[in-house]
Amino acid sequence: MVDGKPFLMLAGELNNTISSDPESMRTVWPALARRGHLNTVLTGVAWNWIEPAEGKYDFHFVDEAIRGAQQAMFAWCCFGSAVGRTRCRALRRCG
């Protein structure tokens, strides 16, 4: 449900490492949205991309993924981990 109305997710999933290359993703996001007709995507984010050294955090990859998905007009971007936890973020108001 989005804004109290049913929302049909047309979802796809990226492999575990593709989102770690923001330059490559600049062409992948639009292709998924246009050719794949998707409005939702699940992508993996490895913890070592966020915490490359103990106690030092860098959300560059996550920020770039969100920015790229927003530009491609995705409604949702979901981030999963290797241990099966998934968090989704609404990228725009649907409806």
Side-chain angles (χ1 to χ4, degrees), residues 71-93:
Q71 290 171 351
M73 296 304 293
F74 277 95
W76 298 88
C77 189
C78 302
F79 299 94
S81 69
V83 295
R85 294 181 184 226
T86 302
R87 297 289 180 257
C88 294
R89 174 183 169 148
L91 300 179
R92 65 181 169 90
R93 188 181 180 115

Side-chain angles (χ1 to χ4, degrees), residues 16-78:
N16 289 339
T17 59
I18 187 75
S19 61
S20 69
D21 183 0
E23 187 64 36
S24 293
M25 288 304 296
R26 285 189 182 95
T27 60
V28 172
W29 290 120
L32 290 171
R34 281 194 298 264
R35 291 196 308 255
H37 306 287
L38 304 177
N39 62 18
T40 304
V41 67
L42 170 67
T43 187
V45 177
W47 184 253
N48 63 341
W49 301 348
I50 295 171
E51 189 181 17
E54 189 172 342
K56 298 192 186 234
Y57 300 93
D58 179 1
F59 288 88
H60 173 260
F61 294 119
V62 174
D63 292 341
E64 284 294 315
I66 290 170
R67 193 171 6 265
Q70 286 173 323
Q71 290 171 351
M73 296 304 293
F74 277 95
W76 298 88
C77 189
C78 302

Side-chain angles (χ1 to χ4, degrees), residues 2-22:
V2 175
D3 293 332
K5 299 176 187 170
F7 176 75
L8 177 63
M9 286 186 166
L10 303 173
E13 183 174 354
L14 299 174
N15 74 24
N16 289 339
T17 59
I18 187 75
S19 61
S20 69
D21 183 0

